[in-house]
């Protein structure tokens, strides 16, 4: 276990804990286990390096049944080599569903894992994350269950950063915030129009 950090949500009073699980001496690259402290105490795993499951078990910090999603940055063993072992551990713990989000090919990777890592549960959904410019052209391939620019639920919003894409000077977060602001304005304007009609 490398470290445990605690961070607070921006002015909302919400908090989350981030656990960095890795051991350079054992060749286990760092993975991040984010636990949201509010509500359902959902967990999110960022990276799943080879040896993650063993190390997490040894240090009693393994993901709980509240693990909602695993985010992969690549298919290098330092980024996803431990996914098979983690899925087996989750299966043994009776975990129900897990979303695995990552780059193009994430669905094929999950399908390949199923061939040699025999697990029935958790039910794994693949989410291919694409740059904003590619989202219009991207359609779910037979291997991917879903395609999106980001992952969002009631606890977190995850925006991937891409090394290069056609509109590299555009900030995804800025665009999402601007769209949310436009949506709130439209809703407010719509509510005002309804009040005037009454």
């Amino acid at each position: 276990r490398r470290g445990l950090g605690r961070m607070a949500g921006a002015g909302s009073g919400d908090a989350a804990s981030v656990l960095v699980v890795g051991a350079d001496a054992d060749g286990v690259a760092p993975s991040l286990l984010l636990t949201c402290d509010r509500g359902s105490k959902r967990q999110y795993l960022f990276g799943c390096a080879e040896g993650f499951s063993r190390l997490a078990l040894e240090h009693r910090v393994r993901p709980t049944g509240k693990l909602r999603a695993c985010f992969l940055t690549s298919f290098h063993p330092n980024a996803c080599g431990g996914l098979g072992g983690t899925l087996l551990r989750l299966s043994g713990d009776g975990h129900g569903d897990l979303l695995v989000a990552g780059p193009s090919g994430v669905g094929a990777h999950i399908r390949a894992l199923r061939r040699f890592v025999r697990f029935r549960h958790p039910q794994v959904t693949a989410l291919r994350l694409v740059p904003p410019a590619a989202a219009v052209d991207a359609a779910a391939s037979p291997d991917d269950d879903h395609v999106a620019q980001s992952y969002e639920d009631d606890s977190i919003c995850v925006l991937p950063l891409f090394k290069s894409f056609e509109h590299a000077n555009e900030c995804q977060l800025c665009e999402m915030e601007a769209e949310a602001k436009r949506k709130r304005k439209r809703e407010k304007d719509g509510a005002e129009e309804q009040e005037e009609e009454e």
Side-chain angles (χ1 to χ4, degrees):
R1 188 160 82 180
R2 275 187 157 189
L4 174 64
R6 197 137 179 85
M7 63 182 190
S12 63
D14 297 332
S17 59
V18 178
L19 187 64
V20 180
V21 180
D24 290 333
D26 288 341
V28 180
S31 298
L32 301 176
L33 183 61
L34 172 73
T35 303
C36 296
D37 289 344
R38 69 174 188 181
S40 63
K41 306 239 183 226
R42 290 187 175 142
Q43 290 184 315
Y44 304 88
L45 182 61
F46 294 85
C48 191
E50 179 63 42
F52 167 79
S53 186
R54 174 192 53 82
L55 190 63
L57 181 64
E58 286 175 2
H59 292 279
R60 296 185 179 104
V61 295
R62 71 180 194 220
T64 68
K66 302 284 186 174
L67 181 64
R68 180 82 174 229
C70 177
F71 299 93
L72 305 177
T73 56
S74 73
F75 301 115
H76 188 277
N78 284 343
C80 72
L83 186 59
T86 300
L87 290 172
L88 284 174
R89 171 60 53 200
L90 293 173
S91 178
D93 292 346
H95 198 279
D97 298 313
L98 181 69
L99 178 114
V100 177
S104 181
V106 67
H109 185 73
I110 299 300
R111 197 176 75 222
L113 274 177
R114 283 194 184 276
R115 290 195 174 272
F116 71 92
V117 179
R118 306 265 182 209
F119 62 93
R120 290 190 176 158
H121 297 306
Q123 177 62 43
V124 178
T125 302
L127 172 66
R128 179 169 42 118
L129 297 173
V130 296
V136 175
D137 301 328
S141 72
D143 293 326
D144 299 321
D145 296 326
H146 303 285
V147 175
Q149 294 178 31
S150 62
Y151 169 83
E152 185 172 5
D153 64 19
D154 58 343
S155 297
I156 66 168
C157 177
V158 177
L159 297 166
L161 300 177
F162 294 93
K163 287 184 180 178
S164 65
F165 65 96
E166 189 176 310
H167 304 285
N169 59 345
E170 296 177 11
C171 170
Q172 290 175 271
L173 182 58
C174 297
E175 289 298 318
M176 285 187 69
E177 287 178 354
E179 179 57 34
K181 189 175 184 179
R182 288 190 291 268
K183 183 179 177 183
R184 285 192 302 271
K185 184 174 179 0
R186 286 191 303 267
E187 289 172 354
K188 181 180 175 186
D189 292 344
E192 289 175 357
E193 287 178 13
Q194 283 183 341
E195 288 177 5
E196 289 176 6
E197 290 175 4
E198 294 174 359

